[in-house]
Amino acid sequence: FVGIMVLVFYLTFNVIGAWLQGILQLGIDKISVLTDQALTAAHVNHAIHSLVIEGIFTGVGSVLSFLPIIVTLFFFLSLMEDSGYIARVAFVMDKVLRKIGLSGRSIVPMLIGFGCTVPAVMATRTLTSERDRKMTILLTPFMSCSAKVPIYAFFSAAFFPHYAALVMIGMYFIGIIVGIIMAFIFKKTLFKGEPVPFVMELPAYHMPTVGNVLRSMWERGSSFIKKAGTIILLSTIVLWFLMNFGWSDGSFGMLEAEQLDSSILAKIGSVIAPVFTPLGWGDWKMAVAAVTGLIAKENVVGTFGILFGFAEVAEDGAEIWGALAGSMTAVAAYSFLVFNLLCAPCFAAMGAIKREMNNAKWFWFAVGYQTLLAYVVSLCVYQIGTWITTGTFGIA
């Protein structure tokens, strides 16, 4: 199973998905240039011109460029699911999961969690034991959902272009390892006792059907597009406004590009930035990106696109590296990835957790402990990583 998943990630992020992503990036860039020229020729108001090009195209375009990677990943997962292989993974994992306090049935929501946390949390309804259900809900968000893939790909291209696949695989395994550790802790504290017996009918192995695979790809891919066209679009518009308007020379209005530090967004970011300074990314732009990720994880990439002014990811990472080099080191970038991997999921997933838990205390516990854990682990990653690479702890 591990070998198959490594092969899937390699083909997705280094071969097929990367090639398709390059083609889509060229298309987005071409449309953006043509739109820019048309708006200029039509003498459209400067604010509207800026909103369309720097806000919508840059923000949403930077997110949509990762659609081929996500669709490619779902293609391989659909093949495994439709062939009957995933059911066998659940059966094989039962003995392993029982050692950490879960039954083999819990693997199904967790595997779904690699696609999206919302249906994964809802899938825990199939668990008959209240103990197993709550414990699975608390652990499922650690399974890296597809919405986090653009963040991994973005930072891998910028800081680790030659080890992108390893960084990607590492993120998935860190989430799994943290989930296992927390399961052990929960088993000894909040959820003492044994999981219910595991009974599951294994479907016969068969060749995946084209219809089922394409349907699964379409459902998951269209969900990503819908989110880009609604939540992410709205978020990028709000971010564009907060970034382009502020107080200059005692008056409120639209700012010039060099006045970004006087914007409303900069003021908000400067307040929360010190919280993240021990993690290596105390710049207000990084802090804002991390917070917008709570609305939708895809927002992180869109936020970077708007704040640093690029709509696509350069193949060798040079463009992003030049924009981000002054904001963080490679160790801090990895710390940022770990934080986004482990922190509380997006608003939609939080809503699903609240509905399934049906208890405000459990909901706030879930959100709180995940965010605190993400902070502590990221702190350790940055401080220890900085000490290894420089010989001093990164306190600044």
Side-chain angles (χ1 to χ4, degrees):
F1 175 59
V2 172
I4 288 174
M5 293 309 297
V6 169
L7 178 61
V8 166
F9 289 138
Y10 174 76
L11 292 174
T12 298
F13 301 117
N14 284 58
V15 185
I16 301 173
W19 176 70
L20 293 174
Q21 183 188 29
I23 295 176
L24 182 58
Q25 283 179 350
L26 290 175
I28 293 174
D29 186 49
K30 184 66 175 178
I31 295 173
S32 178
V33 170
L34 292 175
T35 304
D36 189 12
Q37 292 173 347
L39 293 174
T40 302
H43 303 290
V44 173
N45 179 274
H46 173 65
I48 297 177
H49 190 154
S50 174
L51 170 61
V52 174
I53 301 301
E54 299 173 13
I56 297 174
F57 269 93
T58 302
V60 178
S62 60
V63 175
L64 283 179
S65 65
F66 292 98
L67 179 62
I69 288 180
I70 292 173
V71 171
T72 304
L73 178 60
F74 281 142
F75 170 74
F76 288 116
L77 292 178
S78 299
L79 287 179
M80 292 191 290
E81 187 177 0
D82 197 42
S83 67
Y85 181 69
I86 293 297
R88 281 155 177 81
V89 172
F91 179 78
V92 170
M93 290 297 293
D94 181 61
K95 181 181 290 187
V96 176
L97 290 176
R98 284 188 174 278
K99 293 181 179 180
I100 63 175
L102 294 170
S103 72
R105 284 188 178 275
S106 296
I107 196 66
V108 176
M110 290 184 175
L111 287 175
I112 295 174
F114 286 115
C116 180
T117 304
V118 176
V121 170
M122 295 175 67
T124 59
R125 296 176 183 178
T126 60
L127 303 178
T128 56
S129 168
E130 185 72 10
R131 170 195 175 277
D132 291 0
R133 195 171 66 85
K134 286 184 176 179
M135 191 169 172
T136 304
I137 290 174
L138 291 175
L139 299 175
T140 296
F142 294 132
M143 305 303 110
S144 192
C145 70
S146 61
K148 298 174 184 176
V149 172
I151 307 175
Y152 305 155
F154 181 86
F155 274 83
S156 296
F159 294 93
F160 318 101
H162 303 298
Y163 305 98
L166 288 177
V167 172
M168 293 279 197
I169 295 169
M171 287 295 105
Y172 281 84
F173 276 100
I174 289 173
I176 293 171
I177 292 170
V178 170
I180 291 173
I181 294 173
M182 292 309 302
F184 271 118
I185 295 174
F186 287 149
K187 180 183 178 182
K188 300 295 183 181
T189 55
L190 298 176
F191 301 101
K192 294 180 179 180
E194 294 298 323
V196 297
F198 175 63
V199 179
M200 184 177 185
E201 181 180 353
L202 294 181
Y205 267 130
H206 60 274
M207 288 294 293
T209 61
V210 176
N212 287 341
V213 173
L214 292 180
R215 189 179 304 111
S216 179
M217 288 173 56
W218 168 251
E219 289 175 355
R220 293 164 176 173
S222 62
S223 175
F224 179 83
I225 294 173
K226 289 176 183 176
K227 188 179 290 186
T230 54
I231 298 174
I232 298 171
L233 175 60
L234 179 61
S235 300
T236 54
I237 292 174
V238 172
L239 284 171
W240 171 87
F241 175 80
L242 295 176
M243 184 183 76
N244 284 275
F245 286 82
W247 287 266
S248 177
D249 299 326
S251 61
F252 180 81
M254 190 170 182
L255 305 174
E256 298 296 330
E258 61 273 11
Q259 297 176 307
L260 181 60
D261 289 339
S262 299
S263 66
I264 301 173
L265 191 62
K267 303 302 182 184
I268 297 173
S270 298
V271 174
I272 59 178
V275 176
F276 299 108
T277 299
L279 309 186
W281 30 283
D283 183 274
W284 68 266
K285 297 179 182 178
M286 315 303 299
V288 166
V291 173
T292 59
L294 293 175
I295 301 172
K297 294 303 177 184
E298 300 94 336
N299 269 345
V300 174
V301 176
T303 302
F304 277 116
I306 292 174
L307 293 178
F308 290 97
F310 45 79
E312 60 181 51
V313 179
E315 186 176 347
D316 60 357
E319 181 183 358
I320 306 174
W321 174 262
L324 297 180
S327 299
M328 60 168 57
T329 63
V331 175
Y334 202 82
S335 167
F336 186 86
L337 286 177
V338 171
F339 181 84
N340 281 276
L341 164 68
L342 301 177
C343 76
C346 65
F347 283 176
M350 289 185 197
I353 292 173
K354 190 175 187 301
R355 286 194 303 271
E356 297 304 318
M357 284 293 196
N358 198 27
N359 185 302
K361 291 182 180 179
W362 276 109
F363 165 72
W364 287 113
F365 171 76
V367 173
Y369 104 88
Q370 289 169 23
T371 305
L372 179 61
L373 180 65
Y375 190 93
V376 172
V377 175
S378 295
L379 177 67
C380 293
V381 167
Y382 177 66
Q383 297 297 336
I384 295 174
T386 302
W387 179 75
I388 291 174
T389 54
T390 66
T392 59
F393 287 107
I395 57 175

